Amino acid sequence: NGNTSCSFTKERIQLLNNIGFEWSLASCETWDVRYEELVSYVKKFGNARVPRSFAENPSLGNWVNNQRTIYKKFQNGNTSCSFTKERIQLLNNIGF
């Protein structure tokens, strides 16, 4: 909003990013929805290899592709991504 009296500094923002702070509640809700869709996909198809252009649910295909990209960045030390160890564990639990 352009308010220069805000107490958020770039350093504080980076610290929050470093611990995986979710800036948008909608982002968390979307992740949870897509995760549940992935769980259903795994139950139906027996694996988590959702095609990027999955006709039944194109959003799921894109989300899975994005999760793999974000995971690679996370593994390479990119702490600005919103991936958490908890999310990694959830994905690993279903054979991602």
Side-chain angles (χ1 to χ4, degrees):
N1 66 12
N3 182 354
T4 57
S5 66
C6 178
S7 63
F8 267 103
T9 63
K10 288 181 183 179
E11 292 79 18
R12 286 183 179 179
I13 292 170
Q14 186 59 49
L15 287 170
L16 290 169
N17 285 338
N18 288 348
I19 61 168
F21 183 80
E22 290 289 342
W23 292 99
S24 168
L25 183 56
S27 174
C28 291
E29 291 170 358
T30 300
W31 197 94
D32 292 340
V33 168
R34 294 290 175 261
Y35 174 77
E36 290 303 322
E37 290 173 351
L38 180 59
V39 169
S40 295
Y41 180 95
V42 170
K43 287 179 183 174
K44 182 175 181 179
F45 295 100
N47 64 65
R49 295 184 303 269
V50 182
R52 190 171 191 179
S53 57
F54 182 49
E56 289 181 40
N57 188 343
S59 295
L60 179 61
N62 287 327
W63 181 83
V64 166
N65 184 64
N66 288 338
Q67 296 310 297
R68 290 199 166 100
T69 299
I70 292 169
Y71 177 74
K72 288 175 188 171
K73 289 180 181 178
F74 183 83
Q75 289 298 95
N76 289 325
N78 183 340
T79 56
S80 66
C81 63
S82 61
F83 227 52
T84 64
K85 290 179 182 178
E86 291 80 14
R87 287 182 174 179
I88 291 170
Q89 186 60 50
L90 285 169
L91 291 169
N92 284 339
N93 287 346
I94 60 168
F96 192 74

Coordinates of all heavy atoms in Angstrom, one line a residue:
N1 N 0.8 -1.2 0.0 CA 0.0 0.0 0.0 C 0.9 1.3 0.0 O 0.3 2.3 0.1 CB -1.0 0.0 1.2 CG -0.4 0.1 2.5 OD1 0.8 0.4 2.7 ND2 -1.1 -0.2 3.6
G2 N 2.2 1.2 0.0 CA 3.0 2.3 -0.1 C 3.3 3.0 1.2 O 3.9 4.0 1.3
N3 N 2.9 2.4 2.3 CA 3.0 3.0 3.6 C 4.5 2.8 4.0 O 5.0 1.7 4.3 CB 2.1 2.3 4.6 CG 2.2 2.8 6.0 OD1 3.0 3.7 6.3 ND2 1.3 2.4 6.9
T4 N 5.2 3.9 4.2 CA 6.6 3.8 4.5 C 6.9 3.7 6.0 O 8.0 3.5 6.4 CB 7.4 5.1 4.0 OG1 6.8 6.2 4.5 CG2 7.3 5.2 2.4
S5 N 5.9 3.7 6.8 CA 6.1 3.5 8.2 C 6.0 2.0 8.6 O 6.0 1.7 9.8 CB 5.0 4.3 9.0 OG 3.7 3.8 8.8
C6 N 5.8 1.1 7.7 CA 5.7 -0.3 7.9 C 7.0 -0.8 8.6 O 8.1 -0.4 8.2 CB 5.5 -1.0 6.6 SG 5.4 -2.8 6.8
S7 N 6.9 -1.6 9.6 CA 8.1 -2.1 10.3 C 8.7 -3.3 9.7 O 9.7 -3.8 10.2 CB 7.7 -2.4 11.8 OG 6.8 -3.4 11.8
F8 N 8.2 -3.7 8.5 CA 8.8 -4.9 7.8 C 10.0 -4.4 7.0 O 9.9 -3.6 6.1 CB 7.8 -5.5 6.9 CG 7.1 -6.7 7.5 CD1 5.8 -6.6 7.9 CD2 7.7 -7.9 7.6 CE1 5.1 -7.6 8.4 CE2 7.1 -9.0 8.2 CZ 5.8 -8.8 8.6
T9 N 11.2 -4.9 7.4 CA 12.4 -4.6 6.6 C 12.6 -5.7 5.7 O 12.1 -6.8 5.8 CB 13.6 -4.4 7.6 OG1 13.8 -5.7 8.2 CG2 13.3 -3.3 8.6
K10 N 13.5 -5.5 4.7 CA 13.9 -6.6 3.8 C 14.5 -7.8 4.6 O 14.3 -8.9 4.2 CB 14.9 -6.1 2.8 CG 14.2 -5.1 1.8 CD 15.3 -4.7 0.7 CE 14.6 -3.7 -0.2 NZ 15.6 -3.2 -1.2
E11 N 15.2 -7.4 5.6 CA 15.8 -8.5 6.4 C 14.8 -9.3 7.1 O 14.9 -10.6 7.2 CB 16.8 -7.9 7.5 CG 18.0 -7.3 6.9 CD 17.8 -5.9 6.3 OE1 16.7 -5.2 6.7 OE2 18.6 -5.4 5.5
R12 N 13.7 -8.7 7.7 CA 12.7 -9.4 8.3 C 11.9 -10.3 7.3 O 11.5 -11.4 7.6 CB 11.7 -8.5 9.0 CG 12.2 -7.9 10.3 CD 11.2 -7.0 11.0 NE 11.8 -6.5 12.2 CZ 11.1 -5.7 13.0 NH1 9.9 -5.3 12.7 NH2 11.7 -5.2 14.1
I13 N 11.6 -9.7 6.2 CA 11.0 -10.5 5.1 C 11.8 -11.7 4.8 O 11.3 -12.8 4.6 CB 10.7 -9.6 3.9 CG1 9.6 -8.6 4.3 CG2 10.2 -10.5 2.7 CD1 9.4 -7.5 3.3
Q14 N 13.1 -11.5 4.6 CA 14.0 -12.7 4.2 C 14.0 -13.7 5.3 O 14.0 -14.9 5.1 CB 15.4 -12.2 4.0 CG 16.3 -13.3 3.4 CD 15.8 -13.9 2.2 OE1 15.5 -13.2 1.2 NE2 15.8 -15.2 2.1
L15 N 14.0 -13.3 6.6 CA 14.0 -14.3 7.7 C 12.7 -15.1 7.7 O 12.7 -16.3 7.9 CB 14.1 -13.5 9.1 CG 15.5 -13.0 9.4 CD1 15.4 -12.1 10.6 CD2 16.5 -14.1 9.6
L16 N 11.6 -14.5 7.4 CA 10.3 -15.2 7.3 C 10.3 -16.1 6.1 O 9.9 -17.3 6.2 CB 9.2 -14.2 7.2 CG 8.9 -13.5 8.5 CD1 7.9 -12.3 8.3 CD2 8.3 -14.4 9.6
N17 N 10.9 -15.6 5.0 CA 11.0 -16.5 3.8 C 11.9 -17.7 4.1 O 11.6 -18.8 3.6 CB 11.5 -15.7 2.6 CG 10.5 -14.8 2.0 OD1 9.3 -15.0 2.1 ND2 11.0 -13.8 1.3
N18 N 12.9 -17.5 4.9 CA 13.9 -18.6 5.2 C 13.2 -19.7 5.9 O 13.7 -20.8 5.8 CB 15.1 -18.0 5.9 CG 16.0 -17.2 5.1 OD1 15.9 -17.2 3.9 ND2 16.9 -16.5 5.7
I19 N 12.2 -19.4 6.7 CA 11.5 -20.5 7.5 C 10.3 -21.0 6.8 O 9.5 -21.7 7.4 CB 11.3 -20.0 8.9 CG1 10.3 -18.8 9.0 CG2 12.5 -19.8 9.7 CD1 9.8 -18.5 10.3
G20 N 10.1 -20.5 5.5 CA 8.9 -21.0 4.8 C 7.6 -20.4 5.1 O 6.5 -20.9 4.9
F21 N 7.7 -19.1 5.6 CA 6.4 -18.4 5.9 C 5.5 -18.3 4.7 O 5.9 -18.0 3.6 CB 6.8 -17.0 6.4 CG 5.6 -16.2 6.9 CD1 5.1 -16.4 8.1 CD2 5.0 -15.2 6.0 CE1 4.0 -15.7 8.5 CE2 3.9 -14.5 6.4 CZ 3.4 -14.7 7.7
E22 N 4.2 -18.6 4.9 CA 3.3 -18.5 3.8 C 2.6 -17.1 3.9 O 1.9 -16.8 4.9 CB 2.2 -19.6 4.0 CG 2.6 -21.0 3.7 CD 2.9 -21.2 2.3 OE1 2.4 -20.5 1.4 OE2 3.6 -22.2 2.0
W23 N 2.8 -16.3 2.9 CA 2.3 -15.0 2.8 C 0.9 -14.9 2.5 O 0.2 -14.0 2.8 CB 3.1 -14.2 1.8 CG 4.5 -14.0 2.3 CD1 5.6 -14.7 1.9 CD2 5.0 -13.0 3.3 NE1 6.7 -14.2 2.5 CE2 6.4 -13.2 3.4 CE3 4.4 -12.1 4.0 CZ2 7.2 -12.5 4.3 CZ3 5.2 -11.3 4.9 CH2 6.5 -11.5 5.0
S24 N 0.3 -16.0 1.9 CA -1.1 -16.0 1.5 C -1.7 -17.2 2.1 O -1.3 -18.3 1.9 CB -1.2 -16.0 0.0 OG -2.5 -16.2 -0.4
L25 N -2.8 -17.0 2.8 CA -3.6 -18.1 3.4 C -4.2 -18.9 2.2 O -4.2 -20.1 2.3 CB -4.7 -17.6 4.3 CG -5.5 -18.7 5.0 CD1 -4.6 -19.6 5.8 CD2 -6.6 -18.1 5.9
A26 N -4.5 -18.3 1.1 CA -5.1 -19.0 0.0 C -4.0 -19.9 -0.6 O -4.4 -21.0 -1.0 CB -5.5 -18.0 -1.1
S27 N -2.8 -19.6 -0.5 CA -1.7 -20.5 -1.0 C -1.7 -21.8 -0.2 O -1.6 -22.8 -0.8 CB -0.4 -19.8 -0.9 OG 0.7 -20.6 -1.2
C28 N -1.8 -21.7 1.1 CA -1.9 -22.9 2.0 C -3.1 -23.7 1.6 O -3.0 -24.9 1.5 CB -1.9 -22.5 3.4 SG -0.4 -21.7 4.0
E29 N -4.2 -23.1 1.5 CA -5.5 -23.8 1.2 C -5.4 -24.5 -0.2 O -5.8 -25.6 -0.3 CB -6.7 -22.9 1.2 CG -7.0 -22.4 2.6 CD -8.0 -21.2 2.7 OE1 -8.5 -20.8 1.6 OE2 -8.3 -20.8 3.8
T30 N -4.8 -23.8 -1.2 CA -4.6 -24.4 -2.5 C -3.7 -25.6 -2.4 O -4.0 -26.6 -3.1 CB -4.1 -23.3 -3.5 OG1 -5.0 -22.2 -3.6 CG2 -3.9 -23.9 -4.9
W31 N -2.6 -25.5 -1.7 CA -1.7 -26.6 -1.6 C -2.4 -27.8 -1.0 O -2.3 -28.9 -1.5 CB -0.5 -26.2 -0.7 CG 0.7 -27.1 -0.9 CD1 1.7 -27.0 -1.7 CD2 0.8 -28.4 -0.2 NE1 2.5 -28.1 -1.6 CE2 2.0 -29.0 -0.7 CE3 0.1 -29.1 0.8 CZ2 2.5 -30.2 -0.2 CZ3 0.6 -30.3 1.2 CH2 1.8 -30.9 0.7
D32 N -3.2 -27.5 0.1 CA -3.9 -28.6 0.7 C -4.9 -29.3 -0.2 O -5.0 -30.5 -0.2 CB -4.6 -28.1 2.0 CG -3.7 -27.7 3.1 OD1 -2.5 -28.2 3.1 OD2 -4.1 -27.0 4.0
V33 N -5.6 -28.5 -1.0 CA -6.6 -29.0 -2.0 C -5.9 -29.9 -3.0 O -6.3 -31.0 -3.3 CB -7.4 -27.9 -2.6 CG1 -8.2 -28.4 -3.8 CG2 -8.3 -27.2 -1.6
R34 N -4.8 -29.3 -3.6 CA -4.1 -30.1 -4.6 C -3.5 -31.4 -4.0 O -3.4 -32.4 -4.7 CB -3.0 -29.2 -5.2 CG -3.5 -28.1 -6.0 CD -4.1 -28.5 -7.3 NE -4.7 -27.4 -8.0 CZ -5.9 -27.0 -7.9 NH1 -6.8 -27.7 -7.3 NH2 -6.4 -25.9 -8.5
Y35 N -3.0 -31.3 -2.8 CA -2.4 -32.5 -2.1 C -3.5 -33.6 -2.0 O -3.3 -34.7 -2.3 CB -1.8 -32.1 -0.8 CG -1.4 -33.4 0.0 CD1 -0.2 -34.0 -0.4 CD2 -2.2 -33.9 1.0 CE1 0.2 -35.1 0.3 CE2 -1.8 -35.1 1.6 CZ -0.6 -35.7 1.3 OH -0.2 -36.8 1.9
E36 N -4.7 -33.2 -1.6 CA -5.8 -34.2 -1.5 C -6.2 -34.7 -2.8 O -6.5 -35.9 -3.0 CB -7.0 -33.5 -0.8 CG -6.8 -33.3 0.7 CD -6.4 -34.5 1.5 OE1 -6.9 -35.6 1.2 OE2 -5.5 -34.4 2.4
E37 N -6.1 -33.9 -3.9 CA -6.4 -34.4 -5.2 C -5.3 -35.4 -5.6 O -5.6 -36.4 -6.3 CB -6.4 -33.2 -6.2 CG -7.6 -32.3 -6.0 CD -7.6 -31.1 -6.9 OE1 -6.5 -30.8 -7.6 OE2 -8.6 -30.4 -7.0
L38 N -4.0 -35.1 -5.3 CA -2.9 -36.0 -5.6 C -3.1 -37.3 -4.8 O -2.9 -38.4 -5.4 CB -1.6 -35.4 -5.2 CG -0.4 -36.3 -5.5 CD1 -0.3 -36.7 -7.0 CD2 0.9 -35.5 -5.1
V39 N -3.5 -37.3 -3.6 CA -3.8 -38.5 -2.8 C -4.9 -39.4 -3.6 O -4.7 -40.6 -3.7 CB -4.3 -38.2 -1.4 CG1 -4.8 -39.4 -0.7 CG2 -3.1 -37.6 -0.6
S40 N -5.9 -38.7 -4.0 CA -7.0 -39.4 -4.8 C -6.4 -40.0 -6.1 O -6.7 -41.1 -6.5 CB -8.1 -38.5 -5.1 OG -8.7 -38.1 -4.0
Y41 N -5.5 -39.3 -6.8 CA -4.9 -39.7 -8.0 C -4.1 -41.0 -7.7 O -4.1 -42.0 -8.4 CB -4.0 -38.6 -8.6 CG -3.3 -39.1 -9.9 CD1 -3.9 -38.8 -11.1 CD2 -2.1 -39.7 -9.8 CE1 -3.2 -39.1 -12.3 CE2 -1.4 -40.1 -11.0 CZ -2.0 -39.8 -12.2 OH -1.4 -40.2 -13.4
V42 N -3.3 -41.0 -6.6 CA -2.5 -42.1 -6.3 C -3.3 -43.3 -6.0 O -3.0 -44.5 -6.4 CB -1.5 -41.8 -5.0 CG1 -0.9 -43.0 -4.5 CG2 -0.5 -40.7 -5.4
K43 N -4.4 -43.1 -5.3 CA -5.3 -44.3 -5.0 C -5.9 -44.8 -6.3 O -6.1 -46.1 -6.4 CB -6.5 -43.8 -4.1 CG -6.0 -43.6 -2.7 CD -7.2 -43.1 -1.8 CE -6.7 -42.8 -0.4 NZ -7.7 -42.2 0.4
K44 N -6.2 -44.0 -7.2 CA -6.8 -44.4 -8.5 C -5.8 -45.1 -9.4 O -6.1 -46.1 -10.1 CB -7.5 -43.2 -9.2 CG -8.2 -43.6 -10.5 CD -8.9 -42.4 -11.0 CE -9.7 -42.7 -12.3 NZ -10.4 -41.6 -12.9
F45 N -4.6 -44.5 -9.6 CA -3.6 -44.9 -10.6 C -2.4 -45.6 -10.0 O -1.6 -46.2 -10.8 CB -3.1 -43.7 -11.4 CG -4.2 -43.0 -12.2 CD1 -4.9 -41.9 -11.8 CD2 -4.6 -43.6 -13.4 CE1 -5.9 -41.3 -12.5 CE2 -5.6 -43.0 -14.2 CZ -6.3 -41.9 -13.7
G46 N -2.3 -45.6 -8.7 CA -1.2 -46.4 -8.1 C 0.2 -45.7 -8.1 O 1.2 -46.3 -7.7
N47 N 0.2 -44.5 -8.5 CA 1.5 -43.7 -8.5 C 1.2 -42.2 -8.5 O 0.1 -41.8 -8.6 CB 2.4 -44.1 -9.7 CG 1.7 -43.6 -11.0 OD1 1.5 -42.4 -11.3 ND2 1.3 -44.6 -11.9
A48 N 2.3 -41.4 -8.3 CA 2.1 -40.0 -8.2 C 2.7 -39.3 -9.4 O 3.0 -38.1 -9.4 CB 2.8 -39.5 -6.9
R49 N 2.8 -40.0 -10.5 CA 3.3 -39.5 -11.8 C 2.2 -38.9 -12.6 O 1.8 -39.4 -13.7 CB 4.1 -40.5 -12.5 CG 5.3 -41.0 -11.8 CD 6.1 -42.0 -12.6 NE 5.4 -43.2 -13.0 CZ 5.3 -44.3 -12.3 NH1 5.9 -44.4 -11.1 NH2 4.6 -45.3 -12.8
V50 N 1.7 -37.7 -12.1 CA 0.6 -37.1 -12.8 C 1.2 -36.4 -14.1 O 2.1 -35.6 -14.0 CB -0.1 -36.0 -11.9 CG1 -1.2 -35.4 -12.7 CG2 -0.5 -36.6 -10.6
P51 N 0.6 -36.7 -15.3 CA 1.1 -36.0 -16.5 C 0.9 -34.5 -16.4 O -0.1 -34.1 -15.8 CB 0.2 -36.6 -17.6 CG -0.4 -37.8 -17.0 CD -0.5 -37.6 -15.5
R52 N 1.8 -33.8 -16.9 CA 1.7 -32.3 -16.8 C 0.4 -31.8 -17.5 O -0.2 -30.8 -17.1 CB 2.9 -31.7 -17.5 CG 3.0 -30.2 -17.3 CD 4.3 -29.6 -17.8 NE 4.4 -28.3 -17.3 CZ 5.5 -27.6 -17.5 NH1 6.5 -28.1 -18.2 NH2 5.6 -26.3 -17.1
S53 N 0.0 -32.5 -18.5 CA -1.3 -32.2 -19.2 C -2.4 -33.2 -18.9 O -3.0 -33.7 -19.8 CB -1.0 -32.0 -20.7 OG -0.5 -33.3 -21.2
F54 N -2.6 -33.4 -17.6 CA -3.6 -34.4 -17.2 C -5.0 -33.9 -17.5 O -5.5 -32.9 -16.9 CB -3.4 -34.7 -15.7 CG -4.4 -35.7 -15.1 CD1 -4.5 -36.9 -15.7 CD2 -5.0 -35.4 -13.9 CE1 -5.4 -37.9 -15.2 CE2 -5.9 -36.4 -13.4 CZ -6.0 -37.6 -14.0
A55 N -5.7 -34.5 -18.5 CA -6.9 -34.0 -19.0 C -8.0 -33.9 -17.9 O -8.8 -33.0 -17.9 CB -7.4 -34.8 -20.2
E56 N -8.1 -34.9 -17.0 CA -9.1 -34.9 -16.0 C -9.0 -33.7 -15.0 O -9.9 -33.3 -14.4 CB -9.1 -36.2 -15.2 CG -9.6 -37.4 -16.0 CD -9.6 -38.6 -15.2 OE1 -9.9 -38.6 -13.9 OE2 -9.2 -39.7 -15.7
N57 N -7.7 -33.3 -14.8 CA -7.5 -32.2 -13.8 C -6.2 -31.5 -14.2 O -5.1 -31.8 -13.6 CB -7.4 -32.8 -12.4 CG -7.3 -31.7 -11.3 OD1 -7.0 -30.6 -11.6 ND2 -7.6 -32.1 -10.1
P58 N -6.2 -30.6 -15.2 CA -5.0 -29.9 -15.6 C -4.3 -29.1 -14.5 O -3.1 -29.1 -14.5 CB -5.5 -28.9 -16.7 CG -6.8 -29.4 -17.1 CD -7.4 -30.2 -15.9
S59 N -5.0 -28.6 -13.5 CA -4.4 -27.9 -12.4 C -3.5 -28.8 -11.6 O -2.5 -28.4 -11.1 CB -5.5 -27.3 -11.5 OG -6.2 -26.3 -12.2
L60 N -4.0 -30.1 -11.4 CA -3.2 -31.0 -10.6 C -1.9 -31.3 -11.4 O -0.8 -31.4 -10.7 CB -4.0 -32.3 -10.4 CG -3.2 -33.4 -9.6 CD1 -2.8 -32.9 -8.2 CD2 -4.1 -34.7 -9.5
G61 N -1.9 -31.5 -12.7 CA -0.7 -31.8 -13.4 C 0.3 -30.7 -13.3 O 1.5 -30.9 -13.1
N62 N -0.2 -29.4 -13.4 CA 0.7 -28.3 -13.3 C 1.2 -28.2 -11.9 O 2.4 -27.9 -11.7 CB -0.1 -27.0 -13.6 CG -0.3 -26.9 -15.1 OD1 0.5 -27.3 -15.9 ND2 -1.4 -26.3 -15.5
W63 N 0.4 -28.5 -10.9 CA 0.8 -28.4 -9.5 C 1.9 -29.4 -9.2 O 2.9 -29.0 -8.5 CB -0.4 -28.6 -8.6 CG -0.1 -28.5 -7.1 CD1 0.0 -27.3 -6.4 CD2 0.2 -29.6 -6.2 NE1 0.3 -27.6 -5.1 CE2 0.4 -29.0 -4.9 CE3 0.2 -30.9 -6.4 CZ2 0.7 -29.8 -3.8 CZ3 0.5 -31.7 -5.2 CH2 0.7 -31.1 -4.0
V64 N 1.7 -30.6 -9.6 CA 2.7 -31.7 -9.4 C 4.0 -31.2 -10.0 O 5.1 -31.4 -9.4 CB 2.2 -33.0 -9.9 CG1 3.4 -34.0 -10.0 CG2 1.1 -33.6 -9.1
N65 N 4.0 -30.7 -11.3 CA 5.2 -30.3 -11.9 C 5.9 -29.2 -11.1 O 7.1 -29.2 -10.9 CB 4.9 -29.8 -13.3 CG 6.1 -29.4 -14.1 OD1 7.0 -30.2 -14.4 ND2 6.2 -28.1 -14.4
N66 N 5.1 -28.2 -10.6 CA 5.6 -27.1 -9.8 C 6.2 -27.6 -8.5 O 7.3 -27.1 -8.1 CB 4.5 -26.1 -9.5 CG 4.2 -25.3 -10.7 OD1 5.0 -25.2 -11.7 ND2 3.0 -24.7 -10.7
Q67 N 5.6 -28.6 -7.9 CA 6.1 -29.2 -6.6 C 7.5 -29.8 -6.9 O 8.4 -29.7 -6.0 CB 5.2 -30.2 -6.0 CG 3.8 -29.6 -5.6 CD 3.9 -28.4 -4.7 OE1 4.5 -28.4 -3.7 NE2 3.4 -27.3 -5.3
R68 N 7.6 -30.5 -8.0 CA 8.9 -31.1 -8.3 C 10.0 -30.0 -8.5 O 11.1 -30.2 -8.1 CB 8.8 -32.0 -9.5 CG 8.0 -33.3 -9.1 CD 8.2 -34.4 -10.1 NE 7.7 -35.6 -9.5 CZ 6.5 -36.2 -9.8 NH1 5.8 -35.6 -10.7 NH2 6.1 -37.3 -9.2
T69 N 9.6 -29.0 -9.2 CA 10.6 -27.9 -9.4 C 11.0 -27.2 -8.1 O 12.1 -26.9 -7.9 CB 9.9 -26.8 -10.4 OG1 9.6 -27.5 -11.6 CG2 10.9 -25.7 -10.6
I70 N 10.0 -26.9 -7.3 CA 10.2 -26.3 -6.0 C 11.1 -27.2 -5.1 O 12.0 -26.7 -4.4 CB 8.9 -25.9 -5.3 CG1 8.2 -24.8 -6.1 CG2 9.2 -25.4 -3.9 CD1 6.8 -24.6 -5.7
Y71 N 10.8 -28.5 -5.2 CA 11.6 -29.4 -4.4 C 13.1 -29.4 -4.8 O 14.0 -29.4 -3.9 CB 11.0 -30.8 -4.5 CG 11.8 -31.9 -3.7 CD1 11.8 -31.9 -2.4 CD2 12.6 -32.8 -4.4 CE1 12.5 -32.9 -1.7 CE2 13.4 -33.7 -3.7 CZ 13.3 -33.8 -2.3 OH 14.0 -34.7 -1.6
K72 N 13.3 -29.4 -6.1 CA 14.7 -29.3 -6.6 C 15.4 -28.1 -6.1 O 16.6 -28.1 -5.7 CB 14.7 -29.4 -8.1 CG 14.4 -30.8 -8.6 CD 14.3 -30.8 -10.1 CE 13.8 -32.1 -10.6 NZ 13.5 -32.1 -12.1
K73 N 14.7 -26.9 -6.1 CA 15.3 -25.7 -5.6 C 15.6 -25.8 -4.2 O 16.6 -25.3 -3.7 CB 14.3 -24.5 -5.9 CG 14.2 -24.1 -7.4 CD 13.2 -23.0 -7.6 CE 13.1 -22.6 -9.0 NZ 12.1 -21.5 -9.2
F74 N 14.6 -26.4 -3.4 CA 14.8 -26.5 -2.0 C 16.0 -27.4 -1.7 O 16.8 -27.1 -0.8 CB 13.5 -27.2 -1.4 CG 13.5 -27.3 0.1 CD1 13.2 -26.3 0.9 CD2 13.8 -28.6 0.7 CE1 13.2 -26.5 2.3 CE2 13.8 -28.7 2.0 CZ 13.5 -27.7 2.9
Q75 N 16.2 -28.5 -2.4 CA 17.3 -29.4 -2.2 C 18.6 -28.7 -2.6 O 19.7 -29.1 -2.0 CB 17.1 -30.6 -3.1 CG 16.0 -31.6 -2.7 CD 16.3 -32.1 -1.3 OE1 15.8 -31.6 -0.3 NE2 17.1 -33.2 -1.2
N76 N 18.6 -27.7 -3.5 CA 19.8 -27.0 -3.8 C 20.0 -25.8 -3.0 O 20.9 -24.9 -3.3 CB 19.7 -26.6 -5.3 CG 19.8 -27.7 -6.3 OD1 20.5 -28.7 -6.0 ND2 19.1 -27.7 -7.4
G77 N 19.3 -25.7 -1.8 CA 19.6 -24.6 -0.9 C 18.8 -23.4 -1.1 O 19.0 -22.4 -0.4
N78 N 17.8 -23.3 -2.0 CA 17.0 -22.1 -2.2 C 16.0 -22.1 -1.0 O 15.0 -22.8 -1.0 CB 16.3 -22.2 -3.5 CG 15.5 -20.9 -3.8 OD1 15.2 -20.2 -2.9 ND2 15.2 -20.7 -5.1
T79 N 16.3 -21.2 -0.1 CA 15.4 -21.1 1.1 C 14.3 -20.1 0.9 O 13.5 -19.9 1.8 CB 16.2 -20.7 2.3 OG1 16.9 -19.4 2.0 CG2 17.2 -21.7 2.7
S80 N 14.2 -19.5 -0.3 CA 13.2 -18.5 -0.5 C 11.9 -19.2 -1.0 O 10.8 -18.6 -1.0 CB 13.6 -17.4 -1.5 OG 13.8 -18.0 -2.8
C81 N 12.0 -20.5 -1.3 CA 10.8 -21.2 -1.8 C 9.9 -21.5 -0.6 O 10.4 -21.6 0.5 CB 11.1 -22.4 -2.6 SG 12.0 -23.6 -1.8
S82 N 8.7 -21.8 -0.8 CA 7.7 -22.0 0.3 C 7.6 -23.5 0.7 O 6.7 -23.9 1.3 CB 6.3 -21.5 -0.1 OG 5.9 -22.2 -1.2
F83 N 8.6 -24.3 0.3 CA 8.6 -25.7 0.6 C 9.0 -26.0 2.0 O 9.9 -25.3 2.5 CB 9.5 -26.5 -0.4 CG 8.9 -27.7 -1.0 CD1 7.7 -27.7 -1.6 CD2 9.6 -28.9 -0.9 CE1 7.1 -28.8 -2.1 CE2 9.0 -30.0 -1.5 CZ 7.8 -30.0 -2.1
T84 N 8.3 -26.8 2.7 CA 8.7 -27.1 4.1 C 8.9 -28.6 4.2 O 8.5 -29.4 3.4 CB 7.5 -26.8 5.0 OG1 6.4 -27.6 4.7 CG2 7.1 -25.3 4.9
K85 N 9.6 -29.0 5.3 CA 9.9 -30.4 5.6 C 8.6 -31.2 5.8 O 8.5 -32.3 5.4 CB 10.8 -30.5 6.8 CG 12.2 -30.0 6.5 CD 13.1 -30.1 7.7 CE 14.5 -29.6 7.4 NZ 15.4 -29.6 8.5
E86 N 7.6 -30.5 6.3 CA 6.3 -31.2 6.5 C 5.7 -31.5 5.2 O 5.1 -32.6 5.1 CB 5.4 -30.3 7.4 CG 5.8 -30.1 8.8 CD 6.9 -29.0 9.0 OE1 7.2 -28.2 8.0 OE2 7.6 -29.0 10.1
R87 N 5.8 -30.6 4.3 CA 5.2 -30.9 2.9 C 6.0 -32.0 2.3 O 5.4 -32.9 1.6 CB 5.2 -29.6 2.1 CG 4.1 -28.6 2.5 CD 4.1 -27.4 1.6 NE 3.0 -26.6 2.0 CZ 2.7 -25.4 1.4 NH1 3.5 -25.0 0.4 NH2 1.7 -24.7 1.8
I88 N 7.3 -32.0 2.4 CA 8.1 -33.0 1.8 C 7.7 -34.4 2.4 O 7.5 -35.4 1.7 CB 9.6 -32.8 2.0 CG1 10.0 -31.6 1.2 CG2 10.4 -34.0 1.7 CD1 11.4 -31.1 1.6
Q89 N 7.5 -34.4 3.7 CA 7.1 -35.7 4.4 C 5.7 -36.2 3.9 O 5.5 -37.3 3.6 CB 7.0 -35.5 5.9 CG 6.8 -36.8 6.6 CD 7.9 -37.9 6.4 OE1 9.0 -37.6 6.4 NE2 7.4 -39.1 6.0
L90 N 4.8 -35.2 3.7 CA 3.4 -35.6 3.2 C 3.5 -36.2 1.8 O 2.9 -37.2 1.5 CB 2.5 -34.4 3.2 CG 2.0 -33.9 4.6 CD1 1.3 -32.5 4.4 CD2 1.0 -34.9 5.1
L91 N 4.3 -35.6 1.0 CA 4.5 -36.1 -0.4 C 5.2 -37.4 -0.4 O 4.8 -38.3 -1.1 CB 5.2 -35.0 -1.2 CG 4.4 -33.8 -1.5 CD1 5.3 -32.7 -2.2 CD2 3.2 -34.1 -2.4
N92 N 6.2 -37.5 0.4 CA 6.9 -38.8 0.5 C 6.0 -39.9 1.0 O 6.2 -41.1 0.5 CB 8.2 -38.7 1.4 CG 9.3 -38.0 0.7 OD1 9.4 -37.8 -0.5 ND2 10.2 -37.4 1.5
N93 N 5.1 -39.6 1.9 CA 4.2 -40.6 2.4 C 3.3 -41.3 1.4 O 2.9 -42.4 1.6 CB 3.4 -40.0 3.5 CG 4.1 -39.8 4.8 OD1 5.2 -40.2 5.0 ND2 3.5 -39.0 5.7
I94 N 3.1 -40.6 0.3 CA 2.2 -41.1 -0.8 C 3.1 -41.5 -2.0 O 2.5 -41.7 -3.1 CB 1.1 -40.2 -1.2 CG1 1.7 -38.8 -1.7 CG2 0.2 -40.0 0.0 CD1 0.6 -37.9 -2.3
G95 N 4.4 -41.6 -1.9 CA 5.2 -42.1 -3.0 C 5.5 -41.1 -4.0 O 5.8 -41.4 -5.1
F96 N 5.5 -39.8 -3.6 CA 5.9 -38.8 -4.6 C 7.3 -38.9 -5.0 O 7.7 -38.7 -6.1 CB 5.6 -37.4 -3.9 CG 5.6 -36.2 -4.9 CD1 4.6 -36.0 -5.8 CD2 6.7 -35.3 -4.9 CE1 4.6 -34.9 -6.6 CE2 6.7 -34.3 -5.7 CZ 5.6 -34.0 -6.6

